[in-house]
Amino acid sequence: MADDRRGVVGYALLPKKQQSFIQDSLVSLCKSKGVDLVKIDQERRLTDQGPFDCVLHKLDGEHWRKQLEEFQTQNPNSTIIDSPASIERLHNRISMLQVVSELKIESETDTFGIPKQIVIYDKETLFDRQSWEFLKYPVVAKPLIADGSAKSHKMALVFNNEGLNKLKPPIVLQEFVNHGGVIFKVYVVGEFVKCVKRKSLPDVSEEKLESLEGSLSFSQVSNLTSDERNDDKYYKLMDLEDTELPPQSFITDIARGLRRGLKLNLFNFDVIRDARIGNRYLVIDINYFPGYAKMPGYETALTDFFCDLVRKSRSEEKEKDGIHMRQLVCNCDVEVRKIAINTCCNDGEEQEKPPILQVGGRRRGKRYRGGRNRFVTSLVVVLAS
Ligand SMILES: Nc1ncnc2c1ncn2[C@@H]1O[C@H](COP(=O)(O)OP(=O)(O)OP(=O)(O)O)[C@@H](O)[C@H]1O
Ligand SMILES: O=P(O)(O)O[C@H]1[C@H](OP(=O)(O)O)[C@@H](OP(=O)(O)O)[C@@H](O)[C@@H](O)[C@@H]1OP(=O)(O)O
Ligand SMILES: [Mg+2]
Ligand SMILES: [Mg+2]
């Protein structure tokens, strides 16, 4: 780490996410690099907890947003990963993919985009086939809202008009693009980018389309376990090994562009290769804070990212507002504690000392913001030089 203090990353996650993400292997690798992962108590005010160099979260709601705002105001040097406003954009399947259309990436061999799609708000428009005649069957019907609920993952592959009856607007109708039954999931962790293959829905040929009835409902296909897939003849025939990954540099360019455009650090996106064209890639979904534990080498990628964040927030701390500051960092035992407080605290002292810009530390497991106190166990004092 940049200084002697250990980095602290506070996390606020739903129980399921916490269980999959906060694994011992990640916690101990972070620890060995000087960063502690600390669970945020969601029952208590965020501003009463910490200090945190970084707050990592996947929680929604106005109450939580307010907590984050308040925390950021009181702790301008801490980083919130990621900002609720940026995450919000991914909760709507139209705004989610808009950013892809705005990307400009040069490649001589490959192209990218999104499938043709339309948002349908009511049944009238849904059954008015003319209003979306530019879409050919089959189409995928997706709930417009992608808020992480089970409902928001419930999709239908619609083969003909008959299949429209079961749909419940607001939905996005998206052209189903044949892609060889394999989807590419691209995981992004700050600068880090990793592309993996997963099973997807199989291609639908024109002949098959004619014989298929109405629609097929499905949910989180690429998350099914191999047992679940093998039990179902629909998925049995596909083979991942034979599929070539998309060019790494092309995918990395898209990932970097999306990261900038979305102002997000932790997300993944699903890409399919259009079987009709071969070198055309379509982004069909973007997810905030996905299942990183399924990504090979997730511990290293995340640990490097956290270390980087801590380093950056500390160097910003020192050069904030153009003032060069000195930091006194003490992990106090009784004697050092006395000396540190006597040396640093302004109260009642007349001798010349550099002005104190910021005092922080821990007292009986709580945050300490200055003043004399003999129970302070660690102290960070920022002095103007
Ligand atoms: N336009 C499309 N063309 C072909 N297949 C598609 C298309 N859209 C979705 N799929 C298939 O349906 C699956 C689910 O779609 P999508 O990724 O949009 O849903 P999701 O519930 O948001 O998924 P995730 O679990 O990744 O959040 C995809 O993984 C892919 O297999
Ligand atoms: O864990 P969470 O509940 O956040 O679920 C996320 C899930 O991760 P998991 O594998 O840990 O379940 C992700 O899987 P991968 O893309 O990485 O395969 C993806 O399906 C996200 O869309 C889910 O987020 P949601 O859209 O529901 O918010
Ligand atoms: Mg997806
Ligand atoms: Mg999704």
Side-chain angles (χ1 to χ4, degrees):
M1 294 288 47
D3 58 41
D4 294 339
R5 281 178 295 160
R6 294 185 63 77
V8 184
V9 172
Y11 60 84
L13 303 168
L14 291 174
K16 176 177 158 267
K17 191 64 157 187
Q18 184 182 312
Q19 203 184 4
S20 68
F21 183 74
I22 306 290
Q23 297 198 1
D24 290 350
S25 52
L26 175 67
V27 174
S28 56
L29 186 61
C30 282
K31 209 178 226 41
S32 74
K33 304 272 178 172
V35 175
D36 296 323
L37 299 185
V38 175
K39 181 178 170 170
I40 290 169
D41 182 350
Q42 292 171 34
E43 301 295 310
R44 289 171 52 216
R45 282 172 86 97
L46 184 57
T47 44
D48 290 342
Q49 302 177 61
F52 302 121
D53 294 284
C54 166
V55 171
L56 187 69
H57 71 110
K58 186 173 179 178
L59 296 180
D60 296 321
E62 206 41 46
H63 175 69
W64 175 244
R65 213 161 300 170
K66 286 232 164 71
Q67 299 263 321
L68 287 174
E69 268 170 30
E70 209 184 336
F71 177 84
Q72 188 71 93
T73 311
Q74 288 190 22
N75 303 275
N77 293 326
S78 300
T79 312
I80 290 170
I81 297 292
D82 280 296
S83 104
S86 304
I87 298 171
E88 190 61 36
R89 191 167 178 178
L90 299 188
H91 289 169
N92 175 303
R93 291 189 193 270
I94 295 292
S95 57
M96 169 201 284
L97 295 186
Q98 243 152 20
V99 62
V100 180
S101 316
E102 290 157 15
L103 278 187
K104 289 196 174 39
I105 285 159
E106 304 213 341
S107 165
E108 282 178 10
T109 46
D110 307 288
T111 65
F112 73 99
I114 61 172
K116 286 183 201 158
Q117 59 178 23
I118 186 172
V119 57
I120 305 273
Y121 291 104
D122 50 60
K123 288 240 175 192
E124 206 186 328
T125 321
L126 179 66
F127 293 119
D128 173 17
R129 191 63 186 86
Q130 267 190 345
S131 62
W132 49 279
E133 64 184 350
F134 65 97
L135 289 180
K136 303 268 168 285
Y137 286 119
V139 293
V140 189
K142 308 183 179 191
L144 173 62
I145 303 304
D147 59 3
S149 59
K151 199 172 128 201
S152 72
H153 290 294
K154 283 213 169 96
M155 320 249 143
L157 186 52
V158 183
F159 305 113
N160 49 44
N161 289 347
E162 194 195 315
L164 301 175
N165 294 317
K166 283 193 203 153
L167 305 182
K168 293 196 181 82
I171 50 170
V172 172
L173 292 181
Q174 199 175 76
E175 180 185 32
F176 176 85
V177 178
N178 282 338
H179 54 283
V182 177
I183 192 166
F184 306 106
K185 278 204 173 257
V186 184
Y187 289 86
V188 178
V189 184
E191 283 286 294
F192 175 93
V193 179
K194 173 96 189 159
C195 179
V196 301
K197 292 181 261 187
R198 294 272 183 82
K199 300 227 174 184
S200 180
L201 295 175
D203 290 350
V204 180
S205 66
E206 294 209 8
E207 305 82 74
K208 203 156 76 184
L209 182 62
E210 278 163 25
S211 65
L212 287 164
E213 273 174 32
S215 66
L216 169 86
S217 304
F218 64 95
S219 180
Q220 296 202 286
V221 186
S222 59
N223 261 350
L224 296 180
T225 62
S226 29
D227 281 352
E228 281 170 312
R229 263 187 313 252
N230 290 340
D231 282 351
D232 191 327
K233 63 178 185 329
Y234 202 56
Y235 303 110
K236 226 175 206 163
L237 300 171
M238 291 166 286
D239 198 359
L240 282 185
E241 260 97 275
D242 299 339
T243 306
E244 225 182 277
L245 280 170
Q248 173 70 29
S249 65
F250 183 61
I251 286 295
T252 303
D253 285 349
I254 298 178
R256 300 242 159 100
L258 288 180
R259 183 181 170 221
R260 258 197 309 278
L262 292 165
K263 297 195 174 64
L264 288 175
N265 289 284
L266 299 179
F267 63 96
N268 76 359
F269 56 100
D270 297 341
V271 181
I272 54 176
R273 182 163 42 217
D274 191 331
R276 293 167 299 195
I277 306 175
N279 55 357
R280 177 155 178 84
Y281 293 91
L282 301 165
V283 177
I284 56 165
D285 182 30
I286 309 179
N287 302 302
Y288 186 63
F289 204 146
Y292 284 114
K294 286 178 277 178
M295 174 182 87
Y298 103 102
E299 295 92 340
T300 317
L302 270 301
T303 303
D304 289 351
F305 175 65
F306 295 147
C307 288
D308 235 43
L309 278 176
V310 172
R311 212 171 294 132
K312 277 188 195 138
S313 84
R314 302 241 169 128
S315 54
E316 269 169 26
E317 202 173 272
K318 284 182 197 142
E319 284 176 25
K320 214 173 138 232
D321 302 330
I323 307 170
H324 289 279
M325 300 182 219
R326 225 161 9 107
Q327 295 193 20
L328 279 178
V329 183
C330 317
N331 283 313
C332 305
D333 61 42
V334 180
E335 258 325 284
V336 179
R337 195 193 311 158
K338 245 195 239 161
I339 299 165
I341 295 170
N342 281 338
T343 321
C344 299
C345 288
N346 283 333
D347 35 290
E349 303 287 333
E350 65 293 327
Q351 73 266 54
E352 265 193 28
K353 281 193 216 100
I356 295 172
L357 296 177
Q358 209 178 317
V359 181
R362 307 283 302 168
R363 179 173 76 87
R364 285 175 163 171
K366 293 197 181 134
R367 216 183 137 89
Y368 166 73
R369 294 197 189 87
R372 285 162 193 272
N373 193 305
R374 65 194 190 89
F375 296 109
V376 173
T377 49
S378 74
L379 190 66
V380 180
V381 181
V382 184
L383 305 164
S385 53

Short mmCIF file of all heavy atoms in Angstrom, two decimals, residues 38 42 101 157 162 177 197 255:
data_model
loop_
_atom_site.label_atom_id
_atom_site.label_comp_id
_atom_site.label_asym_id
_atom_site.label_seq_id
_atom_site.Cartn_x
_atom_site.Cartn_y
_atom_site.Cartn_z
N VAL A 38 -14.71 -5.29 4.70
CA VAL A 38 -15.51 -5.17 5.92
C VAL A 38 -16.99 -5.05 5.54
O VAL A 38 -17.36 -4.22 4.71
CB VAL A 38 -15.09 -3.91 6.71
CG1 VAL A 38 -16.00 -3.69 7.91
CG2 VAL A 38 -13.63 -4.01 7.14
N GLN A 42 -26.19 -2.91 7.43
CA GLN A 42 -27.26 -2.18 6.74
C GLN A 42 -28.33 -1.65 7.70
O GLN A 42 -29.19 -0.87 7.31
CB GLN A 42 -27.88 -3.05 5.65
CG GLN A 42 -26.91 -3.31 4.51
CD GLN A 42 -27.42 -4.34 3.52
OE1 GLN A 42 -28.60 -4.42 3.25
NE2 GLN A 42 -26.51 -5.12 2.97
N SER A 101 -24.79 1.77 -28.93
CA SER A 101 -24.99 2.43 -30.23
C SER A 101 -24.15 3.70 -30.34
O SER A 101 -23.86 4.16 -31.45
CB SER A 101 -26.46 2.78 -30.41
OG SER A 101 -27.27 1.72 -30.03
N LEU A 157 -39.24 -16.71 -25.94
CA LEU A 157 -38.85 -16.74 -27.36
C LEU A 157 -40.16 -16.93 -28.12
O LEU A 157 -40.86 -17.93 -27.93
CB LEU A 157 -37.88 -17.91 -27.56
CG LEU A 157 -37.22 -18.08 -28.90
CD1 LEU A 157 -36.54 -16.79 -29.34
CD2 LEU A 157 -36.16 -19.20 -28.81
N GLU A 162 -49.37 -16.10 -32.37
CA GLU A 162 -50.02 -16.84 -31.29
C GLU A 162 -49.24 -16.70 -29.97
O GLU A 162 -49.82 -16.62 -28.88
CB GLU A 162 -50.06 -18.32 -31.72
CG GLU A 162 -50.95 -19.23 -30.95
CD GLU A 162 -50.57 -20.67 -31.29
OE1 GLU A 162 -50.38 -20.95 -32.51
OE2 GLU A 162 -50.41 -21.47 -30.36
N VAL A 177 -31.33 -13.51 -32.78
CA VAL A 177 -30.28 -13.68 -33.80
C VAL A 177 -29.61 -15.04 -33.59
O VAL A 177 -29.11 -15.33 -32.48
CB VAL A 177 -29.24 -12.54 -33.68
CG1 VAL A 177 -28.12 -12.73 -34.68
CG2 VAL A 177 -29.91 -11.18 -33.87
N LYS A 197 -16.94 -18.21 -22.36
CA LYS A 197 -18.03 -18.76 -23.18
C LYS A 197 -19.08 -19.39 -22.27
O LYS A 197 -18.74 -20.00 -21.26
CB LYS A 197 -17.48 -19.86 -24.10
CG LYS A 197 -16.56 -19.35 -25.17
CD LYS A 197 -16.09 -20.50 -26.05
CE LYS A 197 -14.71 -20.99 -25.65
NZ LYS A 197 -14.15 -21.99 -26.57
N ALA A 255 -15.27 -3.10 -24.27
CA ALA A 255 -15.39 -3.04 -22.80
C ALA A 255 -14.95 -1.67 -22.28
O ALA A 255 -15.62 -1.06 -21.43
CB ALA A 255 -14.56 -4.15 -22.17
#
